[in-house]
Amino acid sequence: MPNRSKVQSTTHLSPKMKPLGILGGGQLARMLALKAHELGIPVSVLSEHADDPAAQVTSLWIRGRLDDAETLRTFLSGCSVVTFESEFLDANLLSKLEAATRTSIAPRPADMAALQDRLSQKRLLTQHRLPTSEYFAVATAEEAGQAFESLGGSVGGAVVFKKRRFGYDGYGTFVVRTRKDLKAFLANFDEIPGSEHGFIAERFIPFRRELALMVARSKSGQTTRMPFVETFQKDSRCLWVKGPIKKSPALERLGRSLEKFLGNVGYVGVMGVELFDTGNGLLINELAPRVHNSGHYSMDALSEDQFALHLKCILDLPFEKPEPLSKGFAMMNLLGSSDRAPKWRLPADCKLHWYGKSLNRPGRKMGHYNVLAASPAKALALALKHRNAFKV
Ligand SMILES: Nc1ncnc2c1ncn2[C@@H]1O[C@H](COP(=O)(O)OP(=O)(O)O)[C@@H](O)[C@H]1O
Ligand SMILES: [Mg+2]
């Protein structure tokens, strides 16, 4: 069992330092802000609404839009370092403002730019010899048809088209299984919002299971990773996570390559990595330059959680490798199923993290809970059983 006291950092933080800034006010920003408070790091949040999940948890909330240059400039000037909860910001603008204000943004805007576009992300993976599926860039309906043929769609394999930009939780992912599907997709091609940025096309991977892990690198180059976990997506949206996954040489090799990759690109912060386990190998599905839903289990199940790790990386504080506190853990997302006010009876062994969203909505991420148990399977069974206690 890891010693929690060893995880404490030695660098001096002062509550009088300029606050750490977070761009965005959703649940990821909220959990980051709450962890910053725990570590004695003052934190400021820039978002549009006073009832945003993260706006509720800091007195240093600033109202403003994340696409307004003057708002961003003023916000950056008031912060020691700035991070973000979504990679879909204007990376070019952020890069200019970082230079103008001399407030560093981490992860760097250049890394945000590379990962916010699925095409440049795929190129980056390939360039660094990280395993990912074959892909084609698709800018027009004609190229979509060609990609479908090249990927074997016409011989019965399904093809997945993904918007290059702004896709999340399955919005922006289109599975084309037949020529008839393809016709419907092509007929609609120009009307799909965001289609002007183009798509990538890849084969549908009949995966055995989906896996994920968080990797991390500090400003001065320390790297680490969290355990591999299994994730389960329903309608392309994460429903649960369980872990840790039994170690294997292939997983360890990939984990090491990912840490090396962060060093090679000079990345700063945590990065979420989603994977397909094909039963025959591992393929990276996507990377996210931020804290990630698949890492929420770490809040209760590891010696150091992804939020603390991210903060330490960007403030250049030392950290230990996060280790599991139990033999099994699971995380259950609480997704809205209606617009009624949520109600629950909290089971004693559920560690609840509620996001404080003002409105419930079908499919909306309202909160999550973690459970610990003697094995991953037992933790998942418990988490599934406890889902009945929540009317969300
Ligand atoms: N090539 C693929 N083959 C099979 N399933 C896929 C493929 N790409 C995506 N999916 C499924 O859709 C989910 C969402 O796609 P993903 O690329 O992760 O986009 P998002 O940014 O919306 O999470 C994945 O977690 C996986 O379940
Ligand atoms: Mg995904």
Side-chain angles (χ1 to χ4, degrees):
M1 193 73 38
N3 178 353
R4 267 178 183 271
S5 66
K6 264 176 54 191
V7 173
Q8 298 307 314
S9 49
T10 51
T11 305
H12 295 287
L13 289 169
S14 153
K16 288 210 176 121
M17 69 194 255
K18 270 191 182 179
L20 172 134
I22 307 174
L23 301 175
Q27 68 266 20
L28 298 180
R30 176 187 175 106
M31 291 183 270
L32 210 46
L34 290 171
K35 183 52 72 172
H37 289 315
E38 259 180 50
L39 295 174
I41 302 163
V43 58
S44 183
V45 165
L46 177 65
S47 78
E48 284 186 46
H49 308 286
D51 63 354
D52 285 337
Q56 297 166 25
V57 301
T58 177
S59 58
L60 303 177
W61 169 68
I62 311 275
R63 182 196 298 273
R65 291 177 60 104
L66 304 184
D67 58 1
D68 182 74
E70 274 323 298
T71 304
L72 286 168
R73 183 192 299 274
T74 311
F75 185 73
L76 256 67
S77 302
C79 292
S80 51
V81 51
V82 167
T83 189
F84 49 85
E85 67 163 359
S86 163
E87 60 276 32
F88 298 126
L89 303 178
D90 185 340
N92 235 329
L93 173 62
L94 289 176
S95 183
K96 284 188 193 132
L97 294 174
E98 182 180 42
T101 59
R102 299 192 180 188
T103 297
S104 71
I105 300 176
R108 298 169 311 180
D111 295 326
M112 175 194 273
L115 299 194
Q116 72 185 179
D117 178 334
R118 283 186 189 270
L119 182 58
S120 53
Q121 189 181 123
K122 279 282 200 185
R123 285 184 176 142
L124 190 70
L125 288 168
T126 315
Q127 200 185 328
H128 287 265
R129 296 175 188 280
L130 288 164
T132 191
S133 62
E134 188 190 357
Y135 65 93
F136 289 92
V138 167
T140 60
E142 194 189 349
E143 284 178 4
Q146 286 164 357
F148 183 78
E149 295 299 326
S150 305
L151 290 165
S154 55
V155 293
V159 172
V160 184
F161 291 91
K162 298 182 186 184
K163 281 204 258 185
R164 275 175 59 179
R165 288 174 182 268
F166 307 117
Y168 71 100
D169 283 350
Y171 304 114
T173 296
F174 304 85
V175 181
V176 173
R177 293 181 188 279
T178 59
R179 280 228 162 97
K180 201 169 143 218
D181 281 0
L182 178 69
K183 230 172 137 186
F185 179 65
L186 296 183
N188 244 324
F189 192 84
D190 294 323
E191 269 77 66
I192 298 170
S195 63
E196 68 276 16
H197 300 300
F199 292 78
I200 61 157
E202 64 185 12
R203 276 190 196 89
F204 183 88
I205 311 291
F207 52 79
R208 183 163 77 91
R209 57 183 182 174
E210 288 188 80
L211 303 179
L213 90 159
M214 303 299 303
V215 281
R217 181 178 177 275
S218 76
K219 216 166 168 178
S220 57
Q222 189 187 352
T223 63
T224 194
R225 61 183 190 265
M226 291 179 12
F228 282 88
V229 293
E230 179 174 350
T231 69
F232 177 76
Q233 274 59 236
K234 185 167 179 269
D235 302 327
S236 297
R237 195 167 303 140
C238 178
L239 190 61
W240 56 252
V241 167
K242 74 169 176 178
I245 291 304
K246 209 164 144 249
K247 289 187 178 171
S248 75
L251 288 171
E252 290 310 294
R253 258 197 316 276
L254 183 60
R256 282 194 301 273
S257 307
L258 283 162
E259 282 187 51
K260 220 169 127 202
F261 164 66
L262 295 195
N264 289 342
V265 296
Y267 182 86
V268 179
V270 299
M271 182 185 283
V273 183
E274 297 178 15
L275 305 152
F276 297 131
D277 178 355
T278 66
N280 203 1
L282 299 161
L283 293 173
I284 295 177
N285 173 32
E286 63 168 344
L287 304 175
R290 55 173 164 79
V291 290
H292 195 263
N293 196 165
S294 68
H296 289 354
Y297 74 89
S298 63
M299 297 170 86
D300 300 292
L302 298 190
S303 53
E304 175 113 282
D305 75 23
Q306 62 164 341
F307 301 99
L309 199 55
H310 187 63
L311 293 166
K312 289 181 174 184
C313 284
I314 67 183
L315 292 167
D316 211 15
L317 303 170
F319 46 76
E320 299 277 319
K321 181 170 181 153
E323 297 288 356
L325 299 170
S326 69
K327 291 215 164 86
F329 51 77
M331 186 276 319
M332 179 68 61
N333 266 344
L334 291 166
L335 303 172
S337 60
S338 75
D339 51 9
R340 285 192 303 276
K343 280 199 294 209
W344 62 83
R345 173 181 49 76
L346 189 61
D349 48 2
C350 266
K351 316 226 181 258
L352 179 66
H353 301 275
W354 190 251
Y355 306 152
K357 293 186 182 174
S358 54
L359 290 176
N360 193 6
R361 215 173 45 213
R364 194 166 200 202
K365 288 176 177 170
M366 299 300 287
H368 71 269
Y369 58 84
N370 294 325
V371 299
L372 306 185
S375 73
K378 283 186 179 148
L380 178 62
L382 201 57
L384 289 167
K385 186 182 110 193
H386 286 329
R387 184 62 185 83
N388 297 323
F390 294 85
K391 301 243 173 314
V392 179

